[in-house]
Amino acid sequence: MPLWAPKLIIEKRYARSIQKLMQQFALLAHSRADPADILDAWKDYAASAAFQKAAQDIAMKMVTHLFSDGQKSWREAARVNSRGREIYQALQEELTGQTGVVYHELIGQNARLIGTLPETIAEQVTRYVAKEQQKGRRAEEIAVDIAKIFPEKTKARAELIARTEVSKASTTLTRTRCEQVNIRWYVWRTSEDQRVRDSHALMEDVLVCWNAPPSPEALNHERSYGRYHAGNTFNCRCYPEPVVKLEALHWPHKVYYQDRIQMMTLAQFKQIA
Ligand SMILES: [Zn+2]
């Protein structure tokens, strides 16, 4: 398992927890025969303190897991590095510093995102109900459909949120920790599964500066989605590997610099780094 990759288990657990929370909505659908009643019941539950608290708990578990997992990676990096003491020191003071601020922000963002899930699903269901009513189907039949369709829709949504947000949060934590110890560059790593898109495969093993994210699509002559760092876009399992020690890389090395990927020797790189 690569040292800096966010563990897949964190993503799986996050997806499962979100789905479990959403089961409550499925239960509300099962006991009602009118689609309008179902939607009302969902709205009430989504606005309840119990639901908000559960979303907050789930987000906190995920971010905390990532946070401590990342600490292990940094400790491991510090162990084999001359800057070890500086890194240890930074880790010890984390929760009172900038990383602590980011940690709480990430929990808030994720909790809010989970909180929007019922509404997103409700909108889909509302459209479905309108369409079926036009066909002249009876309310009771449509209500049965909703109870059936709902779990599939939430499962797909929960998986997308987990895949995208775990990756993004992990990149954000790594970046913040890099900033604390003045590490300006990272190596873009792709995940090993076969879903890596071409534009990201192009970025594999490329040195990237935290101050200048690339547009992988533009580099691959595709329509650009804008500039972003490894792991920072939807459905992306890439991750940044902080460059703790330049000499540990193979040289010459690929570097993303001035909007293209170039080969540089260590001496050339040191001039721009
Ligand atoms: Zn990717």
PDB file of all heavy atoms in Angstrom, residues 200 236-238, ligand 1:
ATOM      1  N   HIS A 200      -5.352  12.054 -16.270  1.00  0.00           N
ATOM      2  CA  HIS A 200      -4.671  11.885 -14.993  1.00  0.00           C
ATOM      3  C   HIS A 200      -3.501  10.918 -15.121  1.00  0.00           C
ATOM      4  O   HIS A 200      -2.490  11.069 -14.427  1.00  0.00           O
ATOM      5  CB  HIS A 200      -5.648  11.422 -13.910  1.00  0.00           C
ATOM      6  CG  HIS A 200      -6.638  12.488 -13.536  1.00  0.00           C
ATOM      7  ND1 HIS A 200      -7.423  12.443 -12.424  1.00  0.00           N
ATOM      8  CD2 HIS A 200      -6.946  13.656 -14.163  1.00  0.00           C
ATOM      9  CE1 HIS A 200      -8.185  13.541 -12.373  1.00  0.00           C
ATOM     10  NE2 HIS A 200      -7.909  14.270 -13.430  1.00  0.00           N
ATOM     11  N   CYS A 236     -12.161  11.126  -8.460  1.00  0.00           N
ATOM     12  CA  CYS A 236     -10.713  11.008  -8.671  1.00  0.00           C
ATOM     13  C   CYS A 236     -10.058  10.396  -7.438  1.00  0.00           C
ATOM     14  O   CYS A 236     -10.288  10.857  -6.329  1.00  0.00           O
ATOM     15  CB  CYS A 236     -10.133  12.391  -8.948  1.00  0.00           C
ATOM     16  SG  CYS A 236      -8.340  12.466  -8.997  1.00  0.00           S
ATOM     17  N   ARG A 237      -9.283   9.329  -7.656  1.00  0.00           N
ATOM     18  CA  ARG A 237      -8.571   8.714  -6.534  1.00  0.00           C
ATOM     19  C   ARG A 237      -7.074   9.000  -6.579  1.00  0.00           C
ATOM     20  O   ARG A 237      -6.285   8.308  -5.974  1.00  0.00           O
ATOM     21  CB  ARG A 237      -8.816   7.208  -6.502  1.00  0.00           C
ATOM     22  CG  ARG A 237     -10.174   6.809  -5.982  1.00  0.00           C
ATOM     23  CD  ARG A 237     -10.123   5.397  -5.398  1.00  0.00           C
ATOM     24  NE  ARG A 237     -11.438   4.928  -5.008  1.00  0.00           N
ATOM     25  CZ  ARG A 237     -12.175   4.112  -5.741  1.00  0.00           C
ATOM     26  NH1 ARG A 237     -11.730   3.679  -6.894  1.00  0.00           N
ATOM     27  NH2 ARG A 237     -13.366   3.734  -5.321  1.00  0.00           N
ATOM     28  N   CYS A 238      -6.664  10.008  -7.363  1.00  0.00           N
ATOM     29  CA  CYS A 238      -5.249  10.400  -7.360  1.00  0.00           C
ATOM     30  C   CYS A 238      -4.930  11.042  -6.013  1.00  0.00           C
ATOM     31  O   CYS A 238      -5.837  11.457  -5.293  1.00  0.00           O
ATOM     32  CB  CYS A 238      -4.965  11.399  -8.475  1.00  0.00           C
ATOM     33  SG  CYS A 238      -5.303  10.772 -10.131  1.00  0.00           S
TER      34      CYS A 238
HETATM   35 ZN    ZN B   1      -7.389  11.196 -10.735  1.00  0.00          ZN
END
